[in-house]
Amino acid sequence: MNKKTVIANWKLNGNRNQIINFINLLNRDSVKINKCLCKIIIAFPTLYLDLAQNMITNKNVFLAAQNVDIHLNGAFTGEVSINMLKDIGIGYVIIGHSERRIYHRESNNIIANKFKIIKDANLIPILCIGENKKGKKLQQTKDVCKKQLDMILQLCGPLAFQNTIIAYEPVWAIGSGKIPTLDIIQDTHAFIRTYIVNYSSISTEKISIHYGGSVNEINIEKILQQSDVDGVLVGNASLNYNQFIKIINIINMI
Ligand code: PGA
């Protein structure tokens, strides 16, 4: 069985103490985590990534940033560059999250440029895509995903999605307690995989597609049983260590 990846997105949550406690518990449970069939990637707020990087002792636990700028350096007040993330040993960057698309007006074009800058630096982008409530109602899920992938394929070429992570995150499912039916999750993931394979020469198993949006300890088992789901992106349920480790334990038993 392939290792499943669990990505924890802390968004704008947590403080120094909470993060230190969380990592101490992760380090304490290292032996258990190392035996498990999953890889863990945690996206703490950028400010705490360096601290986290210095504390984590487990080789199965990696860190992600929640954003990156499209510039490498210069007069861009408030931004963080890919070189800075690389400098402190961060391996992954989440981009295209609906909260950035909505609240920061990030277009497919900006996201494609971020994707490129991450790949050029040899870090791994975690690209979030997915339809909003209106798109769901109009049954436009596949069209929306296609459009969100196209800009990246055009800018980065047919091999763009080699060694990257895609997260299918229906916007309406995020933080709502609702998820699509399992058939829809499987069907959408299979569509994304086939669409990329048809565009490029990447082999099917080299494309990593995760599901995100209201994942918790109750629904995770069924979600991960879908054949095209390679992992999950967890928001709320990753903030509390007990809840998070329950998810990891469930993956261990699947
Ligand atoms: P949620 O968030 O698990 O709280 O729905 C997921 C996400 O936004 O990535």
Side-chain angles (χ1 to χ4, degrees):
M1 184 187 162
N2 276 340
K3 271 199 175 192
K4 301 285 185 188
T5 306
V6 179
I7 305 161
N9 179 10
W10 273 45
K11 308 188 183 186
L12 190 58
N13 292 300
N15 58 35
R16 196 181 155 84
N17 269 345
Q18 283 168 347
I19 288 165
I20 290 174
N21 287 341
F22 194 93
I23 297 174
N24 279 336
L25 293 169
L26 267 180
N27 289 344
R28 183 200 66 186
D29 293 341
S30 248
V31 177
K32 194 157 77 180
I33 290 170
N34 282 341
K35 277 196 212 137
C36 94
L37 288 165
C38 69
K39 172 172 161 182
I40 298 171
I41 302 173
I42 309 176
F44 292 121
T46 314
L47 183 66
Y48 302 113
L49 287 176
D50 198 22
L51 165 80
Q53 182 72 350
N54 286 318
M55 280 188 72
I56 290 170
T57 56
N58 193 302
K59 299 257 174 300
N60 267 324
V61 181
F62 302 84
L63 291 171
Q66 297 175 19
N67 184 30
V68 69
D69 191 38
I70 50 172
H71 303 97
L72 290 176
N73 50 40
F76 303 101
T77 303
E79 298 296 343
V80 170
S81 80
I82 196 70
N83 289 344
M84 293 168 186
L85 295 173
K86 198 171 177 176
D87 196 26
I88 60 162
I90 303 306
Y92 299 80
V93 186
I94 298 176
I95 50 167
H97 194 283
S98 59
E99 285 147 19
R100 292 215 59 92
R101 291 181 191 265
I102 298 166
Y103 306 131
H104 300 272
R105 304 216 169 90
E106 290 194 7
S107 62
N108 284 333
N109 185 32
I110 290 177
I111 293 158
N113 279 290
K114 290 189 173 187
F115 190 97
K116 186 166 187 319
I117 216 153
I118 299 167
K119 285 217 84 178
D120 287 351
N122 286 324
L123 272 76
I124 299 182
I126 300 171
L127 172 75
C128 303
I129 58 174
E131 82 286 358
N132 60 18
K133 206 170 167 185
K134 191 169 163 214
K136 175 183 186 258
K137 205 169 155 203
L138 297 173
Q139 301 188 321
Q140 290 172 338
T141 300
K142 290 178 184 170
D143 288 341
V144 172
C145 290
K146 188 168 142 337
K147 214 167 161 193
Q148 291 173 333
L149 296 171
D150 277 346
M151 190 70 90
I152 290 170
L153 288 165
Q154 279 156 25
L155 185 72
C156 304
L159 298 181
F161 291 104
Q162 195 154 280
N163 203 22
T164 64
I165 294 176
I166 296 169
Y168 167 55
E169 295 210 304
V171 183
W172 55 268
I174 295 174
S176 69
K178 295 181 194 141
I179 63 167
T181 64
L182 296 169
D183 286 350
I184 290 178
I185 293 178
Q186 166 55 27
D187 187 46
T188 309
H189 280 232
F191 167 78
I192 294 168
R193 199 179 297 280
T194 311
Y195 186 70
I196 295 170
V197 169
N198 287 344
Y199 197 102
S200 67
S201 54
I202 310 180
S203 54
T204 324
E205 68 284 353
K206 289 241 168 81
I207 302 165
S208 180
I209 311 170
H210 293 48
Y211 170 78
S214 294
V215 174
N216 57 35
E217 74 263 30
I218 297 162
N219 58 29
I220 186 150
E221 183 172 352
K222 292 231 155 62
I223 292 172
L224 283 180
Q225 277 165 353
Q226 307 310 304
S227 57
D228 277 283
V229 177
D230 299 309
V232 285
L233 203 164
V234 189
N236 254 323
S238 72
L239 294 174
N240 174 293
Y241 187 77
N242 290 336
Q243 220 176 332
F244 185 65
I245 205 71
K246 259 190 208 162
I247 289 177
I248 304 297
N249 287 336
I250 292 167
I251 298 174
N252 234 350
M253 292 185 306
I254 294 177

